[in-house]
């Protein structure tokens, strides 16, 4: 055997060995994961939790993770238990994979009702009643409609925690005061919103000021069109009420039902009228959602109102997006409730995968007002717990955002597109694309029929 | 002697065969198998044509516009390839005649060195509607035109000064699709130019000089001497670009995510398989793409063999 052939043989065997080791490593990947998760043995009282670890899967990272750590510090000190927290924006696929692989976390907090309901229906979750006293505590602390959202097939499985409020219309209070416009209240109707819009547009045409009633922004990459989808769900909830809203979300009425069509038409009455929207729908389609409020705060302002969820207050105070520095909540920018008395929104849904004492104790702490107050004080947390002292919020604006959600007069419903099946709701889904189509001048009936056709066959009523 | 045994070539081949078997052949067969299964089926094998009917009937034009994706890809295939090859050729020929050839060629080749996702992000900013951010619209505004929604406008390409055109056009003729193709051309012209330029250098100067002595002008030299001598290189470049056009994904996904009817086959099949939880439809779309690529591969392999024989 020549030296060359031998060298080649050595090379070959090395490459085969390398290749095989890659294969083996890939095959063993699951096993590695399994040893990572800590399973807490059952038994023992709350006092003897030291040495126990709760495996928690959430979405928070960096700053928010620090807030979360602050929130659970007290519990860790009291019980002596530890928390193993994994935060990922990609929580839904992570959770699905871990559950399918037989290695669920102890507690998960995704920001999606859809995955929660799927897991509960598949029997993967532990009902809160399995933890002594937890179910009663949640029912005492949270409004019935919030408890209902965490209930699947008559059993309470989830607690809605950190919430986002999508019933907020942002405006420039100084401009409103100077021109005598009154912000709407919870008792206003969509008709009132149209009247206010027309008044501002008429005053603009009469030369009183040069400010359009609305600015709108729909561009969000794969999520483009979501602000429009939020508009529509708010109008459906406010104008047709929660029962129609629920039927619509569950696809018990077709997507092109006259009531839903009416909501889209109302949306179009504002968005498709060039007199009402700065730059018309064309500008809205090409403007980033995070920059939609900028025209409200330029000198002089170019638009009076902008509709986007409560997270918009983070954008307005972010000068890197192009907002002027030093805008103060309440005086420089403010919101009024979306007319109709309803608020849609999303929340982190806390769910349990076992009822070990450590898991139960952790869940009870998280659901309670004391823990949430820690984060509320640090800012950026809107709580749904009605026992939480509203004075904990860092400013009046944040307080009113939370108040609107915990107010018994407000009908709260989860984001509609989140609960619709993939392909219909969510990024790149039919609803978002439908909004873009409608705002681009597409026929409304075609659009609605198109969205209805995107529901999986068999789900059609 | 180990070299004479029948199994020795197979031993050398085995790593490559193993790798392409695991990572190419198996997924291909599995995709084809899956494309014939009814939706959500766990069956091992099926002969269901619903997934292909979905592509033909286009029942969900809002989320998965199969017709528009196929037409758009055809547009990419023809327009992108033609412009890139033509530009690359023209630049290669012209650059060979100037002193600063190296500099000119480097400048055009640079986009090729940027990651495609990064380039797409850069061009998203270039195309921004707001002229304070978007360079293209800022230039337009400077010369007195109206800002154009380059990535959202579903109208026909029009002059920047008369901003009103027909709205309902066949999808591939939309302004936003052309804006995307332009970015593709920007990225790939450098590749075409470098390969063609190398081919150009291979043409013997004797032929060119003989032509000049015979009284041919530069135009005739280009068409009668350069093009025929360069045709194998042009074929290689064209094949590469055609395959690029067919599997175009990153650029469209980053810049528009297929919104406003800019979907191509690859983005459509990704959406169906991985976002909408319809792996069977996704597989069928992938098979259509495969069917599209196969003839092009066959032609290029035939051409390669032909060249080997005539060499």
């Amino acid at each position: 055997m020549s030296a060359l052939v031998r060298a080649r043989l050595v090379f070959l065997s090395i490459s085969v060995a390398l290749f095989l080791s890659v294969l083996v490593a890939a095959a063993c990947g699951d096993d590695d994961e399994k040893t990572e998760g800590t399973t807490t043995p059952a038994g023992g009282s709350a006092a003897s939790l030291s040495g126990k670890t709760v495996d928690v899967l959430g979405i928070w990272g960096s700053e928010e993770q620090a807030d979360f750590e602050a929130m659970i510090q007290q519990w860790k000190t009291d019980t002596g238990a530890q928390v193993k927290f994994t935060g990922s924006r990609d929580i839904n696929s992570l959770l699905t994979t871990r559950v399918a692989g037989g290695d669920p976390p102890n507690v998960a907090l995704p920001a999606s009702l859809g995955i929660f309901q799927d897991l509960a229906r598949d029997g993967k979750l532990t009902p809160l009643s399995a933890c002594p006293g937890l179910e009663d505590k949640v029912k005492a602390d949270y409004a019935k409609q919030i408890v209902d959202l965490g209930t699947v097939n008559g059993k309470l499985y989830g607690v809605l925690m950190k919430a986002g409020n999508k019933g907020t219309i942002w405006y420039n209070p100084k401009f409103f005061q100077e021109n005598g416009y009154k912000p709407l209240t919870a008792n206003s109707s969509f008709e009132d919103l149209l009247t206010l819009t027309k008044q501002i547009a008429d005053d603009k045409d009469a030369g009183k000021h040069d400010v359009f009633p609305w600015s709108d922004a729909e561009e969000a990459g794969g999520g483009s069109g979501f602000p429009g989808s939020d508009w529509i769900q708010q109008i459906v909830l406010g104008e047709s009420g929660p029962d129609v809203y629920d039927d619509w979300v569950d696809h018990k009425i077709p997507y092109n039902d006259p009531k839903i069509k009416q909501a889209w038409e109302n949306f179009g009455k504002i968005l498709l009228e060039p007199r009402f929207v700065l730059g018309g729908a064309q500008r809205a389609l090409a403007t980033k959602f995070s920059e939609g409020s900028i025209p409200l705060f330029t000198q002089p302002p170019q638009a009076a109102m902008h509709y986007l969820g409560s997270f918009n207050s983070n954008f307005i105070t972010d000068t890197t997006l192009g907002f002027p520095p030093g805008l103060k909540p309440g005086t420089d920018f403010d919101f009024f409730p979306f007319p109709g008395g309803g608020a849609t929104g999303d929340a982190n849904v806390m769910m349990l995968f076992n009822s070990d004492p450590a898991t139960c104790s952790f869940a009870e702490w998280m659901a309670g007002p004391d823990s949430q107050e820690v984060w509320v004080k640090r800012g950026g947390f809107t709580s749904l717990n009605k026992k939480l002292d509203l004075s904990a919020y860092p400013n009046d604006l944040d307080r009113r955002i939370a108040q609107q959600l915990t107010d018994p007069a407000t009908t709260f419903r989860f984001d509609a597109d989140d609960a619709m099946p993939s392909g219909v709701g969510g990024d790149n889904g039919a609803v978002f694309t439908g909004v873009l189509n409608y705002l681009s001048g597409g026929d409304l009936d075609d659009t609605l029929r198109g969205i209805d056709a995107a529901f999986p066959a068999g789900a059609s009523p | 002697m180990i070299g004479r045994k029948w199994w020795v070539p197979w031993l050398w081949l085995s790593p490559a065969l193993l790798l392409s078997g695991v990572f190419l052949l198996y997924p291909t067969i599995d995709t084809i198998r899956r494309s014939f299964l009814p939706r959500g089926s766990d069956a091992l094998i099926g002969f269901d044509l619903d997934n292909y009917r979905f592509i033909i009937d286009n029942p969900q034009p809002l989320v998965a516009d199969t017709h528009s994706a196929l037409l758009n890809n055809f547009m990419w295939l023809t327009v992108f390839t033609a412009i890139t090859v033509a530009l690359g050729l023209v630049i290669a020929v012209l650059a060979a005649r100037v002193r600063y050839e190296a500099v000119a060629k480097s400048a055009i080749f640079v986009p090729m060195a940027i990651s495609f996702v990064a380039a797409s992000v850069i061009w998203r900013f270039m195309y921004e509607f707001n002229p304070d951010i978007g360079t293209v619209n800022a230039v337009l505004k400077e010369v007195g035109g109206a800002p154009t929604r380059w990535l959202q406008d579903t109208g026909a390409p029009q002059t920047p000064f008369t901003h009103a055109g027909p709205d309902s056009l066949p999808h591939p003729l939309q302004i936003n699709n052309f804006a995307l193709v332009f970015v593709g051309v920007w990225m790939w012209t450098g590749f075409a130019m470098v390969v063609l330029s190398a081919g150009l250098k291979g043409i013997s100067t004797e032929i060119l000089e003989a032509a000049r002595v015979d009284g041919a002008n530069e135009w005739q030299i280009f068409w009668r001497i350069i093009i025929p001598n360069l045709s194998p290189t042009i074929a290689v470049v064209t094949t590469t670009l055609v395959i690029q056009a067919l599997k175009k994904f990153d650029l469209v996904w980053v810049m528009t995510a297929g919104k406003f009817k800019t979907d191509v086959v690859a983005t459509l099949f990704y959406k169906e398989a991985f976002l909408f939880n319809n792996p069977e439809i996704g597989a069928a779309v992938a098979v259509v793409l495969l069917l599209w690529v196969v003839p092009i591969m066959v032609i290029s392999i035939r051409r390669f063999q032909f060249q080997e024989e005539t060499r």
Side-chain angles (χ1 to χ4, degrees), chain A residues 421-439:
Chain A
S422 56
V424 183
D427 283 8
N428 295 302
V431 177
F432 291 0
T433 316
V435 167
L436 302 179
N437 195 31
Y438 182 47
L439 291 183

Side-chain angles (χ1 to χ4, degrees), chain A residues 409-432:
Chain A
T410 308
T411 314
F412 178 76
R413 281 295 180 273
F414 216 90
D415 243 350
D417 62 78
D418 175 67
M420 291 177 181
S422 56
V424 183
D427 283 8
N428 295 302
V431 177
F432 291 0

Side-chain angles (χ1 to χ4, degrees), chain A residues 93-439:
Chain A
S93 53
L94 207 58
L95 191 56
T96 324
T97 318
R98 283 188 63 177
V99 170
D103 172 39
N106 301 143
V107 176
L109 299 131
S112 158
L113 197 63
I115 189 167
F116 160 72
Q117 289 170 335
D118 286 348
L119 289 172
R121 261 185 231 114
D122 294 349
K124 305 285 185 195
L125 301 181
T126 306
L128 301 192
S129 56
C131 290
L134 182 59
E135 181 164 348
D136 294 337
K137 199 149 189 234
V138 168
K139 281 184 173 161
D141 278 9
Y142 291 84
K144 186 178 178 297
Q145 54 184 352
I146 308 293
V147 174
D148 286 347
L149 284 170
T151 306
V152 178
N153 295 337
K155 273 192 187 158
L156 181 62
Y157 285 100
V159 186
L160 273 65
M161 309 243 323
K162 182 176 184 287
N165 180 350
K166 288 193 167 175
T168 50
I169 292 176
W170 300 87
Y171 70 104
N172 179 337
K174 284 186 177 149
F175 169 76
F176 265 54
Q177 254 159 30
E178 280 161 21
N179 292 278
Y181 303 127
K182 293 244 163 8
L184 301 184
T185 66
N187 299 324
S188 312
S189 66
F190 191 79
E191 210 50 48
D192 297 330
L193 189 66
L194 275 180
T195 313
L196 175 64
T197 302
K198 272 187 201 122
Q199 195 193 344
I200 298 177
D202 290 347
D203 287 353
K204 177 179 184 291
D205 290 348
K208 248 182 95 178
H209 52 68
D210 197 24
V211 177
F212 280 90
W214 290 96
S215 166
D216 190 66
E218 301 284 342
E219 213 278 315
S224 290
F226 89 82
S229 160
D230 289 349
W231 268 98
I232 290 153
Q233 68 189 26
Q234 278 292 147
I235 299 174
V236 171
L237 183 59
E239 297 302 289
S240 302
D243 293 339
V244 171
Y245 189 91
D246 293 342
D247 286 349
W248 172 55
V249 167
D250 297 340
H251 204 223
K252 284 181 187 149
I253 54 171
Y255 201 98
N256 48 358
D257 184 89
K259 291 196 200 78
I260 307 305
K261 189 184 171 192
Q262 179 67 44
W264 278 72
E265 279 168 346
N266 278 337
F267 168 63
K269 270 184 203 162
I270 290 179
L271 265 292
L272 291 178
E273 171 57 61
R275 278 177 69 228
F276 293 169
V277 183
L278 174 69
Q282 287 83 5
R283 181 186 171 277
L285 285 172
T287 305
K288 269 197 201 69
F289 72 102
S290 50
E291 295 164 8
S293 282
I294 292 180
L296 276 60
F297 308 111
T298 49
Q299 285 295 343
Q302 296 166 282
M305 299 176 280
H306 173 223
Y307 167 64
L308 197 65
S310 58
F311 52 90
N312 195 26
S313 65
N314 300 333
F315 299 144
I316 294 176
T317 48
D318 186 350
T319 49
T320 60
L321 292 175
F323 284 91
L327 292 176
K328 294 265 176 309
T331 46
D332 295 313
F333 69 93
D334 208 344
F335 79 93
F336 58 80
F338 200 100
T344 60
D346 48 19
N348 294 105
V349 190
M350 180 168 71
M351 54 184 100
L352 314 184
F353 291 88
N354 64 29
S355 57
D356 296 338
T359 307
C360 287
S361 165
F362 175 82
E364 196 174 326
W365 171 254
M366 287 291 284
D370 296 339
S371 64
Q372 297 186 12
E373 195 177 308
V374 176
W375 194 336
V376 163
K377 280 187 176 148
R378 293 167 70 102
F381 190 105
T382 305
S383 172
L384 292 167
N385 190 314
K386 60 186 184 191
K387 296 265 175 69
L388 188 121
D389 187 1
L390 284 170
S391 65
Y393 285 93
N395 61 55
D396 191 49
L397 188 112
D398 288 352
R399 187 163 20 254
R400 284 190 293 120
I401 289 173
Q403 212 167 8
Q404 190 186 349
L405 291 186
T406 46
D407 186 347
T410 308
T411 314
F412 178 76
R413 281 295 180 273
F414 216 90
D415 243 350
D417 62 78
D418 175 67
M420 291 177 181
S422 56
V424 183
D427 283 8
N428 295 302
V431 177
F432 291 0
T433 316
V435 167
L436 302 179
N437 195 31
Y438 182 47
L439 291 183

